[in-house]
Amino acid sequence: MGTRARRVSVGLVASAAIVGLVLRFDPGTLPEVTRYRDDAYYYFSFVRDLATGRGPCVTPGVPTNGVHVLWAAMLWPLYGLFGDRGFVVGAQHLGLGLHVLTAAGLWLLLGKGTRAAVVALLYLGNPTLIVEAQNGQETAIACLATLGLCWGFRRSTWVAAGMATLAVCARSDLVFLVPALGVARFGWRAVAVVPCLVALIAYVGVDVALAGRWLQDSAAPIPWLFAAHFERTEPDFAARLHRWWWYLRPCLLGAPYAVVSPVLGGVLTATVLWGWLRPPWRILPLLLTGLGVAVGASDVGVPLVASLLLLLSRSERRVHDGVESSAALVGFAGIVMLHLFVRTYPRDYYFAPLGVLGSLAFAGLPTRAACVASGLLLLGNVAQWFAPPVLQTWQEQMAMAGRYLRDVVPADEPVGCFNSGIVAFHDAGAVLNLDGVVNHDAYDALRAGALGAYLDRHAVRFLVDSPEQVALDGPWPHSSGVHFGGGFDPARDLVEVARFLVPGIGGSPFTLYWRRGRGRPPEQPSARVLGGAPAVGERRSGVYVLWPASGPARLEMARLAADGAPTAGVRTLLASVDTSTTVILRVDAANPGRHGLFVDGAATPILTVDL
């Protein structure tokens, strides 16, 4: 490739990277919906409590190690400088900065040539990685730590040990990469286990120092709830075999290897297969992939790309021996097995480090294969530009609960919540995490089938969550009603006192319950406008309102004329209830102006709002 062609190639992918960054940068005014998952707010609450002297807690007074400490340490200065806004805005920009730093590190580690520049820019412009770098969690630092880990093993034992320690503090499952890379670098010698031992000692030491336990609180509760739900179905051996295969199948070069890009998964796989297959046999992966399709396999993007790259370069010599790629693939397979087959709880961002491992594997590709892979990567990045952003619309209801909970219950009342990240961050009172992810005491109570007794010990009279979460055997595999004990029946023992509702998003509203027989239920508040609701997605900005409903009842909206009378036309149904409850809901309209809210077709509105 001539100098001019190289410059054109670098310029093309650089332009694509910039466009990808612009299109997937999300400055949304409602980050709970546009950027951050509920789990990100566990970090925010943890760092805030630690910085303000309340200890390493999310649930008040209960130390937890359910977060990864390296990301928490990086968030601390943001909170010190900017307060809560350091989390809401700063975490996004910090993640993007780490993403850019990882791309720069790839360029350096790959040798700073044209190929290195192209690969680094393709990594930089990957829409999936750009989005996950903004998720408020540890994803971006985990990717950078993965790069540091690969660099460390190219240096020396103790540099590798230092990088391994940082890696497991960035995200604990990266420990699977450490022994694989150790054997690749040092062979089957005792020195190969030193980095792994150092990293494990550091990991256990940090966890014990934070909460007195060697295993992170977040590791077991949700997988245990899933497993307990499955066991209640009284499965026979055939059902167990089906479940094992359901979770094992994607581990065989399936979806987890393609989350970032099936091309990067294919590149990593191809550089491994090169050493095992002589040119006449390089047709074999394509034949096996075709056989898989014939018997019903659908997640074949990664083996298909790997097969193509092998066939394109049958006559070319490989550039490297592929030992590091083999170790990377084995270590990453361990991460996949952990989250699918052991924990049965995969999340897409767990698999982001493959972006780094696949990018590094480009060094082992012959020129023709590298050019084809780069072109496919570029096309994949561009194709993702046209995919609509994923909005976590249901989380707006959780944020509403956090912001307006104390408009319904007294400020000094502790409230229990399973999905408690957003609620606990926004609420000024005490919110107890109940799924155990950041509250080991609640996890112990769940396993003992005594969550109700735990709530009584802590004088918790109110719960807030989705109805499915407290169901006895609900549609969610982590429905938890059966773990309350004492003959708990949500239909009898929980009384709805409020619901937090965004009309039109589907699903159940986030609901506040009074635990029957624990004191008196709260008095119903009066109707009022609570505050502004920012624009999000296709929704215009609006307002949040409180409606004290005496059910059954319907709340409707109509535009008001200049004299305050409703205009002619059909009224818009906002909410309907079949029981007396307080409804806190979002109100917005396609047409701006003054609108009235009417109950059951009344002529006089209970509230007027300017939209």
Side-chain angles (χ1 to χ4, degrees), residues 452-453 455-456 459-462 493 514-521:
L455 295 172
D456 289 337
V460 177
R461 302 194 303 125
F462 298 95
D493 299 330
W514 167 59
R515 299 179 66 218
R516 190 187 297 275
R518 275 76 175 179
R520 296 176 57 84

Side-chain angles (χ1 to χ4, degrees), residues 128-408:
T128 298
L129 292 171
I130 295 169
V131 169
E132 293 301 348
Q134 300 174 74
N135 68 12
Q137 294 170 254
E138 73 287 342
T139 307
I141 189 62
C143 289
L144 181 59
T146 300
L147 182 67
L149 189 62
C150 294
W151 171 80
F153 274 101
R154 295 182 183 185
R155 304 291 293 180
S156 67
T157 304
W158 293 108
V159 173
M163 292 297 103
T165 300
L166 290 175
V168 298
C169 289
R171 206 171 70 200
S172 52
D173 60 3
L174 294 179
V175 72
F176 282 90
L177 290 170
V178 180
L181 290 171
V183 171
R185 170 65 173 84
F186 304 111
W188 296 98
R189 295 183 291 155
V191 69
V193 304
V194 170
C196 191
L197 286 176
V198 171
L200 286 174
I201 291 170
Y203 168 75
V204 172
V206 168
D207 284 346
V208 170
L210 287 175
R213 292 177 293 278
W214 71 270
L215 185 66
Q216 284 178 279
D217 293 340
S218 54
I222 302 301
W224 179 83
L225 284 167
F226 279 33
H229 183 276
F230 176 70
E231 290 300 326
R232 288 198 302 276
T233 66
E234 299 181 354
D236 57 14
F237 179 74
R240 293 184 186 279
L241 191 63
H242 178 268
R243 187 171 188 263
W244 292 336
W245 175 242
W246 177 261
Y247 286 107
L248 180 62
R249 176 182 50 80
C251 299
L252 308 175
L253 292 183
Y257 302 85
V259 166
V260 176
S261 165
V263 179
L264 288 175
V267 168
L268 182 60
T269 305
T271 56
V272 173
L273 292 177
W274 238 297
W276 294 91
L277 298 174
R278 293 183 178 276
W281 292 98
R282 289 180 183 167
I283 189 67
L284 185 61
L286 184 61
L287 296 177
L288 292 175
T289 302
L291 179 62
V293 172
V295 299
S298 57
D299 296 333
V300 296
V302 170
L304 194 60
V305 171
S307 301
L308 174 64
L309 296 178
L310 285 172
L311 289 177
L312 283 173
S313 305
R314 283 186 296 174
S315 61
E316 292 190 58
R317 297 182 60 188
R318 56 182 303 153
V319 180
H320 294 299
D321 59 10
V323 172
E324 183 183 87
S325 291
S326 299
L329 186 59
V330 169
F332 186 78
I335 294 173
V336 173
M337 286 286 292
L338 171 69
H339 291 301
L340 271 87
F341 194 69
V342 178
R343 299 182 71 235
T344 65
Y345 187 54
R347 308 292 292 273
D348 281 355
Y349 55 87
Y350 292 160
F351 309 122
L354 184 67
V356 171
L357 301 174
S359 297
L360 288 175
F362 262 86
L365 289 179
T367 302
R368 182 166 53 183
C371 290
V372 171
S374 298
L376 292 175
L377 267 179
L378 180 60
L379 290 174
N381 287 359
V382 172
Q384 289 187 60
W385 293 352
F386 303 99
V390 177
L391 299 179
Q392 286 122 194
T393 51
W394 65 92
Q395 291 193 163
E396 184 174 2
Q397 299 179 150
M398 301 159 72
M400 291 163 64
R403 291 185 173 99
Y404 302 118
L405 193 59
R406 303 302 163 174
D407 285 270
V408 185

Side-chain angles (χ1 to χ4, degrees), residues 17 82 98 140 170 202 226 239 312 314 340 422 432 445 484 505 551 576 580:
F82 306 109
L98 293 170
F226 279 33
L312 283 173
R314 283 186 296 174
L340 271 87
I422 294 172
L432 282 69
F484 276 68
I505 67 168
S576 62
S580 293

Side-chain angles (χ1 to χ4, degrees), residues 545-560:
V545 303
L546 186 152
W547 169 39
S550 298
R554 294 162 55 91
L555 184 68
E556 299 167 329
M557 179 175 67
R559 183 157 182 175
L560 301 179

Side-chain angles (χ1 to χ4, degrees), residues 418 455 461-463 466-467 469-471 481 484 488-497 512-518:
F418 292 86
L455 295 172
R461 302 194 303 125
F462 298 95
L463 302 177
S466 299
Q469 185 66 66
V470 295
F484 276 68
F488 172 77
D489 181 354
R492 180 194 65 221
D493 299 330
L494 298 180
V495 179
E496 179 183 331
V497 295
L512 177 67
Y513 299 99
W514 167 59
R515 299 179 66 218
R516 190 187 297 275
R518 275 76 175 179

Side-chain angles (χ1 to χ4, degrees), residues 1 4-15 114 118 121 378:
M1 184 183 294
R4 183 177 180 181
R6 291 172 182 167
R7 289 175 178 172
V8 170
S9 300
V10 172
L12 181 64
V13 293
S15 300
T114 301
V118 168
L121 287 168
L378 180 60

